[in-house]
Amino acid sequence: MSQKIMAINSGSSSLKFQLFSMPEEELLVKCLFERIGLGQGLTFTYTYQGVKEKMAIAGNTHADAVAYLLDFLLAKEIVADLKEIVAVGHRVAHGGETFQSASLIEEAELQQIEALSPLAPLHNPVNAMGIKAFQKALPHCRQVAVFDTSFHQTMAAKNYIYPIPYKYYEEDGIRRYGFHGTSHAYVAQEAAKHLNKDLADLKIITCHLGNGASLCGIANGESVITSMGFTPLAGLMMGTRCGDIDPSILPFLQKNKGLSSEDIDRMINHESGLLGVSEISSDFRDVMEGDVSQYDGNPELAVDIFTTKVKQTIGSYAAELGGLDVLIFTAGLGENSYEIRRDSCQGLEFLGLEIDPEKNFTNQLIISTENSKIPVMVVPTNEELMIVRDTFEILGA
Ligand code: ADP
């Protein structure tokens, strides 16, 4: 018998919701609440039976959004009774070393998620708030947390310990955690399915290239190495984040420019990356397709740094995995930008990888040539479906 399961992604000012019927993975309805906490009412957008509508509604908190959502499901007769919803799967940013996989949430787990807040101060507290709002509104439902970090808990210590005094790992939990785990795991599974291969037999590199961007090297279906680190700032250059840089630049600027630690934090998280180098925008479309002649920035250089970094990381992960069977692109840029994919692969021909320009231009599922030793794929990510799959699996267990 089918079961209805929700996927929830709560941010500080938004709440995203999807309802699926499982196991057939049918998406029933998709909703988005925005402007939470601003004290000016909420905006509510839903997509149901092919119709998309956006409206202003009353309310200010996550709990207000949840209450509205449940009324909406009943009013639209998407469910006849809220008891039809058996579980809610929540995206939670940080599971630290506590959560090696998705987990059923009872009181103890909720406290553990809150205790991990120092590692993700912008995300874990709001994720916990979302869980509490649903616990209260749907007491009959089981709540499950799916963590951005847990997929990467399979990394070996050599790939997660930083070469700084070991006591900072032991005392403060400073290590590489990695993020986007749900997305990397999902596209790897989907690719194996499409290729009719066993995931366990494949060495895969997944490139999640969106506003936030990370790569993951996967073997045996497990994360071996990933580019984000202690925080989602590390690794590739991103829309506004600098990615990996020489760490001594920061104390140097602090001293010589008189910057505070808040100034530095803002600079590396919000003023760097594509925005910082191009001096135009943090959005690749603005930089690559817009009329940039009116600016004196460095749009070409910025994009060049980005794709060079992606290519270098692919090369180093192929070395770490000892080979490569599949290369996957996903997320906003990975799914839509043939130029970013083309330039990120340029120079990787020595691996036996060959892009078909026509297939690449039209965003085909497989964009490599028939002769390419390594299939290169474009697999749309779907973190909500992965959350619901994990939740469904936990209910079964
Ligand atoms: P996030 O979820 O991390 O906010 P997305 O995965 O939505 O980010 O990716 C956003 C990036 O993808 C932006 O830089 C945007 O310009 C780029 N992007 C989205 N759609 C397209 C497209 N059709 N062509 C080129 N770039 C695109």
Side-chain angles (χ1 to χ4, degrees):
M1 205 187 83
S2 294
Q3 294 185 314
K4 293 195 172 87
I5 300 180
M6 286 182 178
I8 299 296
N9 185 351
S10 32
S12 53
S13 68
S14 70
L15 189 140
K16 288 184 205 149
F17 158 91
Q18 293 191 10
L19 184 67
F20 284 86
S21 181
M22 297 295 282
E24 61 277 21
E25 304 192 339
E26 184 194 353
L27 175 63
L28 300 175
V29 61
K30 189 171 159 178
C31 305
L32 165 68
F33 293 88
E34 291 169 292
R35 305 180 66 77
I36 293 176
L38 299 182
Q40 300 160 356
L42 306 175
T43 54
F44 174 62
T45 312
Y46 71 88
T47 312
Y48 178 53
Q49 293 184 332
V51 179
K52 185 171 176 178
E53 228 184 304
K54 183 171 183 172
M55 61 189 88
I57 60 165
N60 189 43
T61 62
H62 286 84
D64 295 338
V66 174
Y68 188 91
L69 175 67
L70 300 180
D71 285 345
F72 168 83
L73 293 177
L74 290 168
K76 284 264 175 205
E77 295 177 359
I78 299 167
V79 296
D81 186 325
L82 293 174
K83 291 225 163 60
E84 288 172 26
I85 302 167
V86 295
V88 187
H90 298 265
R91 178 180 186 182
V92 176
H94 220 303
E97 291 184 331
T98 315
F99 294 99
Q100 308 281 320
S101 60
S103 171
L104 201 59
I105 300 297
E106 311 267 353
E107 206 40 49
E109 287 80 11
L110 186 59
Q111 280 173 18
Q112 285 166 327
I113 288 171
E114 288 180 319
L116 288 163
S117 292
L119 294 178
L122 300 182
H123 295 103
N124 273 38
V126 275
N127 299 153
M129 206 143 63
I131 294 172
K132 284 184 210 164
F134 277 96
Q135 276 178 333
K136 207 162 161 202
L138 294 175
H140 70 276
C141 265
R142 276 177 290 178
Q143 313 285 329
V144 170
V146 180
F147 301 91
D148 278 17
T149 50
S150 57
F151 180 61
H152 303 298
Q153 282 292 303
T154 46
M155 282 188 293
K158 64 176 180 175
N159 281 336
Y160 70 74
I161 295 292
Y162 289 116
I164 59 174
Y166 196 74
K167 65 176 181 186
Y168 294 120
Y169 166 60
E170 295 175 302
E171 293 171 9
D172 303 286
I174 306 247
R175 52 160 284 178
R176 182 192 303 278
Y177 290 101
F179 297 85
H180 287 148
T182 317
S183 177
H184 290 297
Y186 176 80
V187 296
Q189 280 180 13
E190 290 299 298
K193 241 191 268 176
H194 285 300
L195 295 171
N196 217 359
K197 295 254 169 74
D198 191 344
L199 182 59
D201 296 334
L202 297 173
K203 292 172 178 168
I204 302 176
I205 296 176
T206 47
C207 308
H208 179 111
L209 308 180
N211 189 28
S214 70
L215 261 65
C216 184
I218 299 170
N220 230 335
E222 295 180 343
S223 170
V224 173
I225 177 68
T226 191
S227 59
M228 283 181 170
F230 176 60
T231 71
L233 176 67
L236 306 174
M237 158 186 160
M238 309 182 208
T240 59
R241 292 171 243 173
C242 59
D244 291 346
I245 58 170
D246 181 342
S248 62
I249 293 168
L250 305 180
F252 178 91
L253 285 177
Q254 241 170 333
K255 200 163 148 213
N256 290 289
K257 294 271 191 204
L259 302 183
S260 66
S261 60
E262 288 78 23
D263 294 334
I264 292 282
D265 200 51
R266 190 173 52 249
M267 188 270 283
I268 57 182
N269 276 293
H270 301 295
E271 297 169 0
S272 296
L274 187 73
L275 173 66
V277 179
S278 73
E279 300 179 319
I280 295 171
S281 170
S282 63
D283 191 296
F284 277 85
R285 270 171 300 190
D286 294 343
V287 174
M288 294 168 73
E289 296 163 18
D291 175 15
V292 296
S293 57
Q294 55 181 313
Y295 301 100
D296 332 311
N298 311 287
E300 278 173 27
L301 175 63
V303 176
D304 207 9
I305 296 174
F306 179 79
T307 53
T308 300
K309 192 86 193 189
V310 174
K311 175 177 66 182
Q312 289 169 346
T313 311
I314 293 171
S316 73
Y317 286 9
E320 173 66 23
L321 295 174
L324 180 61
D325 298 315
V326 189
L327 177 65
I328 304 170
F329 287 96
T330 193
L333 286 164
E335 291 169 29
N336 297 298
S337 175
Y338 75 96
E339 291 146 301
I340 292 289
R341 292 189 300 255
R342 178 195 64 202
D343 294 353
S344 298
C345 290
Q346 208 158 51
L348 292 175
E349 295 78 11
F350 74 95
L351 287 173
L353 179 159
E354 202 177 87
I355 299 289
D356 179 319
E358 185 55 33
K359 290 178 184 166
N360 185 35
F361 185 70
T362 48
N363 300 324
Q364 300 291 306
L365 173 66
I366 297 182
I367 57 166
S368 45
T369 63
E370 306 256 320
N371 292 330
S372 181
K373 272 198 235 149
I374 301 165
V376 182
M377 302 180 72
V378 177
V379 181
T381 193
N382 190 340
E383 289 164 290
E384 285 76 14
L385 177 55
M386 191 70 191
I387 289 170
V388 166
R389 273 185 193 169
D390 281 357
T391 304
F392 185 67
E393 207 176 293
I394 284 184
L395 294 189

